[in-house]
Amino acid sequence: MDGFAPADAVTSNAAARAGPPLGLLAELTHRCPLQCPYCSNPLTLLKAADELDTRGWRSAFEQAADLGVLQVHLSGGEPTLRADLDDFVAALSARGVYTNLITAGVTQTRERVARLADCGLDHVQLSLQALDAEMSDRIGNYTGSLARKLDVARWVREAGLPLTLNAPTHRHNIGQAAALIELALELDADRLEIAHVQYYGWAAKNRAALVPDYDAVLEEAAIVGEARERLKGLLNIDYVTPDTYAQFPKPCMGGWAKDVITITPSGKVLPCHAAEILPLPFDTVRDKPLAEIWYDGAAFNRFRGDEWMKEPCRSCPRKAVDFGGCRCQAFALTGDAEATDPACSLSPHHGLMAGFAEASAAAPPPFVYRRIGRT
Ligand code: SF4
Ligand code: FES
């Protein structure tokens, strides 16, 4: 790995400029009933015995509220596998913090959904793997997944909670955008996220099985664009296009350590969910106060601001828009975390994307499923 300077030599004023984080992504566990081939959790998953305990999470949430966090996204793995989830929701609600449960749904019951609503849960984001039962089961490697998820969606609305449907998208389900939009309306969802998967971490093993064809992406974009206009005020549709065909990268996380803080199941504190792949010194809430990590942590200050950027980002007018793209993707594909994200057409590594796109022309290989203990 090249391109690394000491953290404090690059962004000496970054900490002074940082405001408080607005959101916290709390990855309560890596345990998950699904085994999706595009899983965004790290290559080495944490076992239940090593997870931060109830007291550790309660302390982290109290510190987050003190720090100014307004929203906590309770995620995983599958966060409902933590028996103390209900306590966390109640405690956060008592502090006036907005809580969003990010769930695969398949292990939920009607009673648990109602109980979480009673504890003060504000919102549920439910993932959908595909809209036909066979494909849904094949992607998550879980039998009966679609019917369970649709039940959960109905229980969420029955409990009076707003619902977002999240559809990770790739070549096997890219033709389902129109049906997804119809389903979101039928289920009375507020929001639908049609989000192409990212290819770092586990998903990189399945890139050839998942990268969609360019024409299919164009067709999907047209369907989403038309529906967004037609359904204004009825349904919000977020659309995350695939980096494989991008001209410019996405502003990953809205900028490094700008608004969001992530805590992993072990208590490690990260600027983004994938950051553990980067060779940075990450702190944990077991060892340091959250405020100290956010403002003064070496990893948090490493890519704050733009002083760390190299060309072509350094002199590019878009650097205030996309912040040079994703640090994790840049490192995963180039070995240099300071490099311009290869999703950018100005990156000297942009040709990698054309190579990935070629895979979409061949028959997809079988999925390499995600399993705890498998690396
Ligand atoms: Fe963004 Fe850097 Fe590409 Fe400019 S060169 S568009 S700042 S990634
Ligand atoms: Fe880490 Fe994009 S996922 S910066």
Side-chain angles (χ1 to χ4, degrees):
M1 72 206 59
D2 56 358
F4 268 80
D8 57 358
V10 180
T11 52
S12 51
N13 294 320
R17 288 198 304 268
L22 302 177
L24 164 65
L25 176 67
E27 295 178 342
L28 299 180
T29 179
H30 282 155
R31 289 172 285 142
C32 185
L34 302 189
Q35 300 177 355
C36 302
Y38 47 74
C39 178
S40 60
N41 283 331
L43 289 182
T44 303
L45 298 177
L46 198 79
K47 301 226 164 63
D50 299 323
E51 289 172 4
L52 201 59
D53 63 12
T54 304
R55 250 178 79 184
W57 276 113
R58 285 290 297 269
S59 165
F61 290 139
E62 285 296 324
Q63 292 181 61
D66 291 344
L67 190 51
V69 163
L70 301 174
Q71 301 185 347
V72 171
H73 305 277
L74 298 154
S75 176
E78 175 50 55
T80 56
L81 296 180
R82 290 276 309 218
D84 43 12
L85 175 67
D86 310 37
D87 295 341
F88 298 156
V89 169
L92 286 162
S93 179
R95 290 292 310 260
V97 176
Y98 186 94
T99 47
N100 173 32
L101 175 66
I102 300 176
T103 178
V106 295
T107 49
Q108 287 271 36
T109 62
R110 187 182 215 153
E111 293 68 33
R112 186 85 186 279
V113 173
R115 206 161 65 233
L116 285 165
D118 287 346
C119 289
L121 185 67
D122 290 298
H123 181 270
V124 175
Q125 179 179 316
L126 175 69
S127 66
L128 284 180
Q129 275 59 46
L131 292 189
D132 56 289
E134 186 274 330
M135 181 62 73
S136 176
D137 288 357
R138 191 157 85 75
I139 294 170
N141 205 17
Y142 188 97
T143 304
S145 55
L146 182 62
R148 284 172 182 253
K149 283 166 180 274
L150 295 181
D151 279 345
V152 172
R154 294 185 186 104
W155 297 334
V156 167
R157 294 299 297 124
E158 184 182 275
L161 294 171
L163 171 69
T164 291
L165 297 177
N166 170 262
T169 304
H170 43 77
R171 73 189 286 179
H172 298 275
N173 61 4
I174 192 166
Q176 301 189 343
L180 264 173
I181 292 162
E182 287 312 306
L183 179 69
L185 291 170
E186 185 191 319
L187 293 173
D188 194 25
D190 282 350
R191 182 175 291 275
L192 169 64
E193 295 176 356
I194 298 179
H196 278 263
V197 301
Q198 302 290 323
Y199 296 100
Y200 31 74
W202 194 266
K205 296 178 189 293
N206 288 291
R207 188 185 277 117
L210 296 173
V211 169
D213 166 66
Y214 183 56
D215 288 341
V217 176
L218 288 184
E219 198 176 317
E220 179 189 58
I223 290 169
V224 172
E226 182 279 327
R228 272 178 161 170
E229 279 303 307
R230 178 167 47 91
L231 300 173
K232 256 186 195 155
L234 260 185
L235 176 68
N236 290 309
I237 306 177
D238 289 338
Y239 183 44
V240 180
T241 52
D243 283 344
T244 317
Y245 303 112
Q247 184 182 6
F248 297 117
K250 295 184 260 297
C252 196
M253 304 304 294
W256 181 267
K258 204 156 166 278
D259 295 322
V260 182
I261 196 164
T262 295
I263 303 181
T264 72
S266 69
K268 208 181 274 184
V269 187
L270 309 176
C272 73
H273 64 282
E276 274 183 288
I277 68 167
L278 300 174
L280 293 176
F282 294 112
D283 297 305
T284 87
V285 286
R286 296 177 198 263
D287 302 326
K288 280 190 186 171
L290 196 59
E292 186 182 328
I293 299 172
W294 172 259
Y295 287 112
D296 302 327
F300 277 75
N301 285 321
R302 184 61 183 81
F303 300 114
R304 271 188 175 129
D306 58 18
E307 290 92 336
W308 57 272
M309 288 182 183
K310 298 177 181 174
E311 294 296 349
C313 294
R314 180 175 282 272
S315 58
C316 178
R318 282 186 59 87
K319 70 182 178 186
V321 176
D322 61 33
F323 316 105
C326 175
R327 294 306 86 221
C328 299
Q329 178 155 270
F331 180 73
L333 296 182
T334 72
D336 178 2
E338 286 182 348
T340 295
D341 184 338
C344 179
S345 52
L346 304 174
S347 159
H349 300 285
H350 189 60
L352 286 169
M353 295 292 161
F356 299 153
E358 279 171 20
S360 68
F367 294 147
V368 183
Y369 286 113
R370 190 74 227 251
R371 281 191 195 116
I372 216 158
R374 183 183 203 180
T375 58

